């Protein structure tokens, strides 16, 4: 429960030791019971306070030794940083399952949960390994393995910059990040689609190993899961390898069938999502190969994979993911087409067409943003006070509907559901009555007509429809109460364009309601605990 007593840092019973913690100590109840029996009284309801008291009991003049001793008793995920009154010049830190980075400065050193927090001070970063310990003073950083053996290390210079981590005149990071998408997509493409081909040589994939892949599993959470759903359609279309997309939190407990001829693709903006990491650990243990699609260089998920396609979207600060999503979609198109060609299952004209389309995306997203989408703002103003929204789409844009609904609910707190258009008749159509709003994502493509039929069914029941359609779609113009037009593109690329107005709709609805857009209640940017 959020209150002052539960805030970090937590102080040990002797008042000498203070600790901050990101994560969860799963066996804290048992440890707490034990400490209470020994006469320790607790000031908070947190799991962290248990660690403070345990450390105080194990401390005999050396904080590092005390931490080493206490770690043997902790189960769960943690990044911990501890100071002791008797050694005020040092911080001892450790991590297991939660991220922790160390910044190397001049005459000063830092620890933090992620790199953007350090950019104001330094770009020299050390990533602490799982189970490792660090002793940090103003002058020196020392790393140790889980047995307290000193570990040599090298700092890396991060490619993130402070400019990129500031708002630059935008009211919110989310709006800035929406507007950064043309640049972010261009970065994702840089050097990978220079000619008429997709170039995935950076992944060092072995064509023979690839030919042996019988099944692909995409693992991710949240917004990254929706890009993974688009990824499934793309991978199946271009590689013809059966592909399944899993919520990593489901996968890890589903007793999944894992075979060595399976290829896993882990998708994550932060590279630190606990469920995705754990799902990866399970598949790696059983010998499957894994590729990451990730934004943060050097983070845990890429380090656990055999190869990584970095999205290079730059730091994403707003909790609601925007540019990370569109760049993941672009990465999936390149991966699917590239693998398809290596397997001889995607022909040259198809590849050329897609590469051409990919190259146009930055300018097309820019054009969409420049249009100052009037219908989006009108719609946000008119419907900000409703309690429910329905989003529908089909095939490549079914995940777009899910992502649009997630964006709206997470930052405006309005309930929204994303549905496959074909499912309407199987239940959700019952919700539709006068003025019930549905967002229909219906760009050009194989399923457009089917979605138009869904819209007609909604209109016949007096529902209100906001349509996202391709420029010049006259039928959509006639049907829609609000029309949002996106540039014409290959249908495989349409999720990239169609989601942009949905991000803006969520943004403008949330700002009209006065919500804390960049930090919605109850949510964290990186979900580093289960
Ligand atoms: C929603 C959002 C989350 C993340 C999810 C996974 O806007 O940002 O749903 O997508 O927590 O995070 P990553 O991609 O860092 O693994």
């Amino acid at each position: 429960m959020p209150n002052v007593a539960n805030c970090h840092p937590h102080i040990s019973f002797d008042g000498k030791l203070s600790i901050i913690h990101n994560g969860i100590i799963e066996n804290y109840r048992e440890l707490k019971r034990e400490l209470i029996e020994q006469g320790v009284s607790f000031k908070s309801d947190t799991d962290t306070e248990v660690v403070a008291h345990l450390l105080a009991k194990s401390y005999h003049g050396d904080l590092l030794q005390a931490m080493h001793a206490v770690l043997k008793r902790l189960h769960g995920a943690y990044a911990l940083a501890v100071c002791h009154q008797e050694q005020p010049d040092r911080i001892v830190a450790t991590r297991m399952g939660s991220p922790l980075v160390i910044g190397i400065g001049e005459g000063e050193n830092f620890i933090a949960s992620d790199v953007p927090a350090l950019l104001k001070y330094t770009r020299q970063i050390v990533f602490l390994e799982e189970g490792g310990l660090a002793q940090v003073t103003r002058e020196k950083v020392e790393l140790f393995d889980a047995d307290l053996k000193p570990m040599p290390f090298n700092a890396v210079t991060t490619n993130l910059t402070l400019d990129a981590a500031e708002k630059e005149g935008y009211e919110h990071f989310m709006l800035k990040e929406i507007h950064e998408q043309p640049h972010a997509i261009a970065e994702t493409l840089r050097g990978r689609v220079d000619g008429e081909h997709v170039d995935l040589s950076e992944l060092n994939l072995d064509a023979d190993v690839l030919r042996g892949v019988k099944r692909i599993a995409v693992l991710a959470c949240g917004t990254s899961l929706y890009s993974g759903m688009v990824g499934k359609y793309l991978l199946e279309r271009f590689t013809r390898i059966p592909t399944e997309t899993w919520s990593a939190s489901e996968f890890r407990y589903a007793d999944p069938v894992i075979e060595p001829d399976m290829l896993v693709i882990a998708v994550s903006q932060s590279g630190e999502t606990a469920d995705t990491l754990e799902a990866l650990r399970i598949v790696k243990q059983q010998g499957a190969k894994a590729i990451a699609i990730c934004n943060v260089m050097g983070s845990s998920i890429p380090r656990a994979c055999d190869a990584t396609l970095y999205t290079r979207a730059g730091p994403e600060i707003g909790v609601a993911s925007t540019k990370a999503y569109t760049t993941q979609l672009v990465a999936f198109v390149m991966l699917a087409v590239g693998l398809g060609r290596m397997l001889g299952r995607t022909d040259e004209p198809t590849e050329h067409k897609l590469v051409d389309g990919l190259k146009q995306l930055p300018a097309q997203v820019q054009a969409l943003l420049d249009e100052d989408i009037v219908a989006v703002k009108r719609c946000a103003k008119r419907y900000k006070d409703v309690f429910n929204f329905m989003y529908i789409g089909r095939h490549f844009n079914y995940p777009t509907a899910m992502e649009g609904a997630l964006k709206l609910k997470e930052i405006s707190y309005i309930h929204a559901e994303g549905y496959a258009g074909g499912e309407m008749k199987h239940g959700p159509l019952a919700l539709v009555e006068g003025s019930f709003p549905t967002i229909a994502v219906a760009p050009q493509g194989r399923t457009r007509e089917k979605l138009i039929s869904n819209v007609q069914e909604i209109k016949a029941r007096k529902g209100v429809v906001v349509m996202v359609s391709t420029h010049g779609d006259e039928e959509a113009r006639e049907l829609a109460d609000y029309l949002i037009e996106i540039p014409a593109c290959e249908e495989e690329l349409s999720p990239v364009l169609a989601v942009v107005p949905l991000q803006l709709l969520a943004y403008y609805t949330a700002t009209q309601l006065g919500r804390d857009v960049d930090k919605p209640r109850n949510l964290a940017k990186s979900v580093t605990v289960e």
Side-chain angles (χ1 to χ4, degrees), residues 167-242:
K167 281 193 212 152
E168 292 170 1
Y170 285 95
E171 203 181 331
H172 296 102
F173 279 113
M174 181 180 177
L175 190 61
K176 174 184 172 235
E177 287 157 9
I178 290 173
H179 281 268
E180 280 173 349
Q181 289 177 111
H183 176 69
I185 292 169
E187 279 298 297
T188 314
L189 294 172
R190 182 169 47 81
R192 293 164 174 163
V193 289
D194 280 346
E196 291 183 313
H197 295 286
V198 172
D199 180 355
L200 295 181
S201 49
E202 69 194 277
L203 297 181
N204 286 321
L205 298 174
D206 181 325
D208 288 334
V209 173
L210 192 59
R211 272 188 284 276
V213 171
K214 296 284 172 292
R215 184 178 145 221
I216 301 177
V218 181
L219 308 177
C221 296
T223 288
S224 298
L225 174 64
Y226 299 142
S227 86
M229 287 170 63
V230 179
K232 166 196 156 71
Y233 292 136
L234 292 165
L235 287 160
E236 289 193 332
R237 174 165 289 188
F238 295 114
T239 68
R240 304 312 295 158
I241 300 175

Side-chain angles (χ1 to χ4, degrees), residues 221-224 267-270 273 319-321 328 406-407 410 527:
C221 296
T223 288
S224 298
V267 194
S268 176
Q269 187 286 127
S270 61
T273 298
V319 163
S321 193
Q328 285 167 358
L406 176 62
K407 285 291 88 94
E410 71 180 320
V527 185

Side-chain angles (χ1 to χ4, degrees), residues 32-230:
K32 187 169 179 173
R33 218 174 303 122
E34 195 182 296
L35 285 160
I36 290 172
E37 275 166 20
Q38 293 169 17
V40 175
S41 61
F42 279 74
K43 295 198 168 53
S44 74
D45 312 314
T46 64
D47 51 342
T48 306
E49 196 184 339
V50 165
V51 189
H53 299 320
L54 286 176
L55 279 165
K57 282 188 170 281
S58 300
Y59 179 79
H60 306 293
D62 186 333
L63 195 50
L64 192 64
Q65 290 288 355
M67 182 76 106
H68 183 241
V70 167
L71 290 184
K72 297 192 174 77
R73 307 224 43 211
L74 305 183
H75 301 161
Y78 46 79
L80 296 167
V82 190
C83 290
H84 197 283
Q85 226 176 47
E86 287 169 9
Q87 300 177 311
D89 64 334
R90 70 198 55 216
I91 300 172
V92 169
T94 186
R95 69 173 282 255
M96 178 65 80
S98 294
L100 194 141
V101 290
I102 300 167
I104 310 288
E106 282 177 24
E108 51 182 5
N109 295 305
F110 307 85
I111 63 165
S113 288
D114 61 13
V115 175
L118 296 174
L119 294 175
K120 217 168 175 176
Y121 311 100
T122 180
R123 293 179 60 215
Q124 297 297 308
I125 307 295
V126 178
F127 292 93
L128 187 62
E129 290 298 330
E130 281 277 281
L133 292 100
Q135 182 157 249
V136 180
T137 63
R138 190 189 292 268
E139 297 79 26
K140 202 158 135 198
V141 170
E142 295 165 283
L143 298 195
F144 305 89
D145 70 7
D147 300 320
L148 281 194
K149 200 165 103 239
M151 296 282 290
F153 64 90
N154 285 322
V156 293
T157 308
T158 173
N159 57 355
L160 300 184
T161 61
L162 188 57
D163 282 359
E166 285 181 344
K167 281 193 212 152
E168 292 170 1
Y170 285 95
E171 203 181 331
H172 296 102
F173 279 113
M174 181 180 177
L175 190 61
K176 174 184 172 235
E177 287 157 9
I178 290 173
H179 281 268
E180 280 173 349
Q181 289 177 111
H183 176 69
I185 292 169
E187 279 298 297
T188 314
L189 294 172
R190 182 169 47 81
R192 293 164 174 163
V193 289
D194 280 346
E196 291 183 313
H197 295 286
V198 172
D199 180 355
L200 295 181
S201 49
E202 69 194 277
L203 297 181
N204 286 321
L205 298 174
D206 181 325
D208 288 334
V209 173
L210 192 59
R211 272 188 284 276
V213 171
K214 296 284 172 292
R215 184 178 145 221
I216 301 177
V218 181
L219 308 177
C221 296
T223 288
S224 298
L225 174 64
Y226 299 142
S227 86
M229 287 170 63
V230 179

